[in-house]
C-alpha cells in the first residue's frame, strides 16, 4: 500500500531533525499504525535506526553498538558498561549532526529503568551533537515516560506525537475504492495501515476476512491479545469486558452484572480502555458527559468491534474450520454492522465542518423518551445531532445503509420527531439524510457516501 496521510507528522519530524541544535522527538501509538515506517521516511542514509527487543540491557547495548558501527566503524569493538558511556561515546565520535532512533524504546526501559534519568542528564547538559528519536507502542509507558510530571524526561521533548489511525479518505485513495466500498471495508479494518496491507494482497473483502481473521492461521486471529500485551496487566479481564460490550452490554450496570463485579471495580479498566482508544463513552447530545445514567460504552475501533462481534462468539466454529455458521452470521448481520459505522462516519464528517454554509460543533447521537402529539410517551433516536457554532441552528440527521429510500417521507418523519423535542424549539432546524443510495423523491437534503468522504478530507 502506498504511503498516505501523515502530512503533519512528517512535517513535524523533518522540521525537528533539520534544526541546528539537537532535538528530542517522541512518537507513540498502538501497534501497526506505521510509526516505524514514518520515522524511516524521515531518516537519511547517515542516520542510525535501532529496533529494540526484550533482551537484557548489556545485550541491547551490544546490539545497538553493532548498528552504530555501520555509521562509525569499529564502534562495536568496545564494551559499554552502561548507557551513559555508550551515548557519550557516540557524541565523541561524531562531528556533524545526525539522528539516532531507538524504536520500541519501552523494551529497553523495561530492562534498564535507569535509562530515562541518563537521557535527562544528557539532554539537560545541552552538549549532544545528535538528534534522538524515541518511539514505542506501549501507550501507557510512553505517556508515563514523557507526559507524567514526575518522570525524568517530562518537558524535555521538542516534539511529542501520538499517532492516530489514518482517515477514511486516505484509505480510499490508497486502495482505489469507490466510496461505498471504502466505507464497508473501513468498518472492518479501521484506519490501521498494516491491516490494509494485508487486505491489499487478497482479491476481495470476503477473501481477506477468511484469510486474515476468520482462520486459526490468520495473521490477525489473535490480534487483540497482542495489542493488550503492550498496555494492560490483566488481559483476561480486559478481553472479557470487550467481549461483553461487543455482544451488546453497553450500560455500566449490564457490564458489571455480567462480570459479576460491583460497577465501581470497573471504573479503572474502562477508563484505561477509553484512554487507549479501544472504547468510547456514548452520551446523548446536550447531556453532560459525566452523566453516568445516560452513558453507553461502545467499542471505538472498527477492527476490534468486528472481532468481538464476529470472531469471539464463533471461535469454536473457527477452531473446527466450520465456515457455514460464520457465513450465516455475516450474511444476517454485516449490513447492520456496517450501518453503525456509517453513522459514526457521518457524525465525524459533520463535526467542525460546514454544512449549507453553517459551521457545526461536535455531532453526537440523541436518544430518550418524549411526549408525542397524543401526549403519550414515545422513544426517539437521532443518528446525528449537532449545534451550529453560533447556536442558531440544529442539524438533525437520519442515516440509512440500505436500498433506495423515500427522501420526502424520511425528511417528514425526521421533522416530526425533532419538533417533539422541547430544546429544539430554540433552533432553526436543518434536516439531513445520510443515505447509501440516491433516494426516491429526493427532498434536496441528501448526503451520499462520496459527499461524506469529501467532508472528511
Amino acid at each position: 500500500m502506498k504511503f498516505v496521510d501523515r502530512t503533519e507528522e512528517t512535517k513535524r519530524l523533518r522540521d525537528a531533525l533539520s534544526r541546528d541544535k539537537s532535538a528530542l522527538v517522541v512518537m507513540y501509538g498502538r501497534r501497526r499504525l506505521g510509526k516505524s515506517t514514518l520515522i524511516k521516511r524521515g531518516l537519511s542514509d547517515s542516520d542510525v535506526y535501532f529496533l529494540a527487543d526484550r533482551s537484557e540491557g548489556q545485550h541491547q547495548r551490544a546490539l545497538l553498538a553493532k548498528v552504530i558501527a555501520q555509521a562509525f566503524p569499529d564502534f562495536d569493538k568496545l564494551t559499554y558498561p552502561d548507557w551513559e558511556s555508550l551515548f557519550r561515546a557516540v557524541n565523541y565520535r561524531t562531528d556533524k549532526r545526525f539522528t539516532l532512533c531507538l524504536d520500541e524504546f519501552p523494551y529497553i526501559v523495561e530492562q534498564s529503568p535507569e535509562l530515562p534519568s541518563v537521557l535527562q542528564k544528557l539532554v539537560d547538559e545541552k552538549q549532544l551533537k545528535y538528534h534522538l528519536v524515541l518511539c514505542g507502542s506501549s501507550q501507557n509507558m510512553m505517556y508515563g515516560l514523557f507526559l507524567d510530571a514526575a518522570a525524568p524526561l517530562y518537558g524535555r521533548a521538542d516534539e511529542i506525537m501520538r499517532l492516530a489511525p489514518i482517515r477514511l479518505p486516505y484509505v480510499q485513495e490508497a486502495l482505489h475504492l469507490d466510496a461505498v466500498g471504502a466505507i464497508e471495508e473501513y468498518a472492518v479494518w479501521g484506519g490501521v495501515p498494516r491491516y490494509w496491507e494485508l487486505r491489499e494482497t487478497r482479491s476481495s473483502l470476503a477473501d481477506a476476512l477468511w484469510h486474515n481473521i476468520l482462520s486459526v492461521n490468520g495473521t490477525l486471529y489473535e490480534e487483540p491479545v497482542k495489542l493488550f500485551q503492550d498496555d494492560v496487566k490483566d488481559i483476561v479481564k480486559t478481553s472479557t469486558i470487550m467481549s461483553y460490550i461487543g455482544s451488546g452490554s453497553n450500560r455500566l450496570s449490564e457490564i458489571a452484572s455480567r462480570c459479576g463485579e460491583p460497577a465501581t471495580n470497573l471504573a479503572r479498566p474502562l477508563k484505561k480502555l477509553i484512554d487507549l482508544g479501544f472504547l468510547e463513552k456514548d452520551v446523548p447530545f446536550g447531556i453532560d458527559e459525566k452523566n453516568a445514567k445516560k452513558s453507553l460504552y461502545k467499542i471505538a475501533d472498527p477492527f476490534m468491534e468486528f472481532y468481538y462481534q464476529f470472531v469471539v462468539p464463533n471461535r469454536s466454529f473457527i477452531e473446527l474450520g466450520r465456515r457455514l455458521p460464520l457465513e450465516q452470521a455475516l450474511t444476517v448481520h454485516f449490513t447492520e454492522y456496517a450501518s453503525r459505522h456509517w453513522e459514526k462516519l457521518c457524525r465525524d464528517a459533520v463535526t467542525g465542518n460546514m454544512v449549507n454554509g453553517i459551521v457545526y460543533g461536535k455531532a453526537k447521537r440523541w436518544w430518550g423518551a418524549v411526549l408525542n402529539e397524543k401526549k403519550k410517551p414515545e422513544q426517539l433516536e437521532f443518528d446525528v445531532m449537532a449545534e451550529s457554532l453560533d447556536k442558531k441552528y440544529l442539524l438533525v440527521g437520519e442515516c440509512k445503509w440500505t436500498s433506495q429510500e423515500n427522501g420526502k417521507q424520511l425528511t417528514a418523519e425526521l421533522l416530526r420527531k425533532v419538533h417533539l423535542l422541547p430544546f429544539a424549539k430554540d433552533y432553526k432546524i436543518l434536516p439531513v439524510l445520510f443515505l447509501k443510495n440516491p433516494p426516491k423523491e429526493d427532498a434536496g437534503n441528501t448526503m451520499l457516501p462520496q459527499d461524506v468522504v469529501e467532508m472528511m478530507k
Side-chain angles (χ1 to χ4, degrees), residues 195-249:
Y195 302 163
W196 286 96
E197 287 180 344
L198 294 170
R199 162 65 184 95
E200 192 178 29
T201 64
R202 311 307 298 182
S203 60
S204 66
L205 172 58
D207 180 33
L209 288 176
W210 291 109
H211 187 81
N212 293 302
I213 307 177
L214 305 177
S215 164
V216 291
N217 297 313
T219 306
L220 303 177
Y221 182 57
E222 300 287 353
E223 181 70 0
V225 172
K226 295 174 184 175
L227 292 172
F228 295 148
Q229 283 173 342
D230 288 325
D231 285 300
V232 297
K233 293 179 180 178
D234 192 339
I235 294 176
V236 173
K237 184 173 185 176
T238 300
S239 195
T240 300
I241 291 172
M242 293 288 285
S243 296
Y244 289 147
I245 294 174
S247 64
S249 297

Side-chain angles (χ1 to χ4, degrees), residues 381-401:
E381 182 175 337
F382 295 88
D383 300 325
V384 183
M385 187 173 284
E387 180 187 57
S388 63
L389 295 186
D390 63 9
K391 302 188 181 301
K392 295 179 180 178
Y393 294 85
L394 185 69
L395 183 150
V396 291
E398 180 84 8
C399 303
K400 297 287 185 183
W401 196 250

Side-chain angles (χ1 to χ4, degrees), residues 58 61-62 65 75-82 85-86:
Q58 181 60 49
R61 287 194 291 276
F75 188 87
D76 57 340
K77 298 302 183 185
L78 297 176
T79 299
Y80 302 94
D82 52 48
S85 62
L86 186 147

Side-chain angles (χ1 to χ4, degrees), residues 12-26 47 87 90-91 94 96-100 119-133 155-159:
R12 284 179 173 272
L13 178 63
R14 288 178 173 164
D15 285 351
L17 301 186
S18 64
R19 296 172 188 170
D20 291 333
K21 66 174 186 176
S22 64
L24 174 59
V25 178
V26 175
D47 294 328
F87 287 115
V90 176
N91 214 43
T94 186
K96 62 179 182 179
R97 192 76 63 197
F98 78 103
T99 299
L100 171 59
L119 291 178
Q120 175 199 8
K121 179 180 178 182
L122 295 170
V123 170
D124 287 352
E125 287 177 359
K126 301 187 185 302
Q127 298 298 315
L128 284 183
K129 300 175 184 176
Y130 52 92
H131 304 300
L132 277 172
V133 176
R156 267 74 181 184
D158 297 281
E159 291 286 354

